[in-house]
Amino acid sequence: AQIEEAKVATAGLVIAGLKLLEDTFGRLSKGKGFLGDIGNVDIVTGVLLRVVKVMEDLWPIINRYLVAKKQERSFQQASPIIIYTKPGRCCLSYQRRKKKKKKAMAAAAGEVRLIGAWPSPYVLRPRVALNLKGVEYEFLQEKFGEKSELLLRSNPVYKKVPVLLHHDKPVCESMIIVEYVDAAWAKSGQAILPADPYERALHRFWAAYIDDKLNPSGAALSKAQTEEAKVEAAGQVIAGLKLLEEAFGRLSKGKGFFGGDDIALGCFLGWLKVMEKTSGVKFTDEEKMPLLAGWAERFCGHEAVKAVMPEPERLEAFARKRAASAQAPPAN
């Protein structure tokens, strides 16, 4: 009985304290959602809400008080300190801001759409760029072997992915999209290309080299039928990577990334690992190309990349399925 009396007395003190905070909130908040702009009292009281939550469960008298108060509309509107949904989510204002942010993100996703296919390294380029800039977007997945009406209408010249739709205006070609994203959201996230015109020109040069020279060599290796053709194509890939190893030493300026060509080359790393497995050739050798090997590990571990980079195993399975469908006899 004495213990129960002590609980009732303590609960009364807690309720009295909450009532004082209720009165104080009305004066200090000035009609806003916090006691100022998330000030000291908000923080101190908010941290204690976990304790109050436990006390609600253990002491029904406090729970009955709070349940009754939660049903009062005026209390709900004016008391974000006491009304909360989960521990750590301690006020209605937080919930309102969260909903507002979700609506803004949904609106942004409607403004930015990307037409693509998940296995494509060219599609991966704008996805990484958008992630680096923190841009919400809707990914419109194209079915392999098919071209949607939206794709044909958005890219009538090449009829290929990726295509970025920004306010329904199409931007085509992967590296052009990357540059567009860097410029359109210049004040968001990190810069993708350097601001200096000469350095920017150098990075464009090497991005073009990757697309015009290195990637065709990789494609030739994937399609090679004879051992001689495989050896020749693998040699071309290694020669191209050695040039990029030297370029990295100049362009990175002692830092961990190229500073402009990371997306152009990095988005092919998944397929490069697949080629290493199928050909038995180690392309990013830690001894022969230590700079590229270290860079590749850092690039794949970047948060903007990890979220969208396909696993090599998944790419390999896709390649096998694609090869099998290509060799299958036509249906009668």
Side-chain angles (χ1 to χ4, degrees):
Q2 292 179 347
I3 295 176
E4 191 63 30
E5 289 178 3
K7 286 183 179 180
V8 172
T10 305
L13 292 174
V14 173
I15 292 173
L18 292 175
K19 286 181 177 179
L20 284 175
L21 286 172
E22 169 79 359
D23 296 336
T24 302
F25 182 87
R27 296 192 302 272
L28 297 182
S29 65
K30 299 179 181 179
K32 299 179 180 179
F34 291 95
L35 291 164
D37 189 11
I38 310 187
N40 291 344
V41 180
D42 296 288
I43 295 172
V44 173
T45 309
V47 171
L48 291 176
L49 286 176
R50 285 183 178 273
V51 179
V52 176
K53 178 64 177 175
V54 174
M55 294 169 67
E56 281 186 69
D57 297 334
L58 296 179
W59 298 355
I61 186 172
I62 294 180
N63 186 52
R64 286 196 298 271
Y65 167 77
L66 290 178
V67 168
K69 294 299 289 182
K70 288 176 184 179
Q71 294 174 352
E72 298 179 14
R73 183 171 180 81
S74 60
F75 185 86
Q76 293 175 359
Q77 293 175 341
S79 302
I81 288 182
I82 299 174
I83 299 297
Y84 57 92
T85 55
K86 296 179 181 178
R89 300 292 187 263
C90 58
C91 61
L92 290 176
S93 180
Y94 175 89
Q95 297 297 332
R96 287 194 293 268
R97 290 186 181 186
K98 188 175 180 181
K99 289 181 180 179
K100 187 176 180 181
K101 184 178 180 181
K102 282 187 176 180
K103 288 183 179 179
M105 290 172 65
E111 295 174 357
V112 184
R113 294 180 292 166
L114 181 66
I115 307 173
W118 69 265
S120 170
Y122 296 100
V123 173
L124 187 59
R125 286 171 169 177
R127 298 191 75 183
V128 172
L130 289 165
N131 285 352
L132 285 171
K133 290 294 185 177
V135 178
E136 294 290 331
Y137 66 96
E138 181 183 1
F139 185 53
L140 304 177
Q141 176 74 40
E142 287 283 306
K143 291 184 179 180
F144 178 71
E146 300 180 12
K147 297 182 186 293
S148 67
E149 181 62 31
L150 179 61
L151 173 61
L152 296 175
R153 187 170 65 250
S154 302
N155 189 1
V157 177
Y158 291 110
K159 302 178 176 64
K160 293 181 179 181
V161 294
V163 178
L164 180 75
L165 297 173
H166 189 199
H167 297 294
D168 292 327
K169 296 179 180 178
V171 183
C172 306
E173 294 297 291
S174 62
M175 290 310 297
I176 294 177
I177 296 174
V178 169
E179 290 196 32
Y180 176 85
V181 169
D182 195 29
W185 289 276
K187 296 182 180 180
S188 301
Q190 68 181 68
I192 297 173
L193 290 169
D196 181 77
Y198 179 71
E199 291 186 2
R200 184 181 287 252
L202 286 178
H203 285 283
R204 283 174 173 160
F205 170 85
W206 285 107
Y209 171 80
I210 291 167
D211 282 350
D212 296 341
K213 297 293 184 181
L214 184 62
N215 292 343
S217 299
L221 176 60
S222 301
K223 298 176 182 178
Q225 299 295 321
T226 65
E227 191 63 29
E228 182 180 355
K230 290 180 181 179
V231 171
E232 182 181 355
Q236 291 176 353
V237 173
I238 292 173
L241 290 173
K242 284 183 177 179
L243 283 176
L244 287 168
E245 170 85 1
E246 296 171 2
F248 182 87
R250 297 191 300 271
L251 297 176
S252 65
K253 298 180 179 180
K255 298 180 181 179
F257 292 93
F258 278 97
D261 294 313
D262 302 282
I263 291 177
L265 178 61
C267 291
F268 283 86
L269 288 174
W271 282 109
L272 194 64
K273 291 179 181 178
V274 173
M275 287 193 296
E276 285 182 338
K277 185 175 181 179
T278 56
S279 67
V281 179
K282 181 70 173 177
F283 293 111
T284 53
D285 189 280
E286 291 83 356
E287 294 183 1
K288 296 180 180 179
M289 299 181 217
L291 297 179
L292 275 187
W295 163 82
E297 185 175 349
R298 288 188 294 273
F299 181 85
C300 292
H302 196 286
E303 291 299 323
V305 178
K306 288 194 297 184
V308 290
M309 172 76 83
E311 293 292 332
E313 294 78 13
R314 189 183 180 196
L315 291 173
E316 185 180 2
F318 171 80
R320 287 198 302 267
K321 184 178 180 180
R322 183 178 179 181
S325 63
Q327 295 174 0
N332 294 329

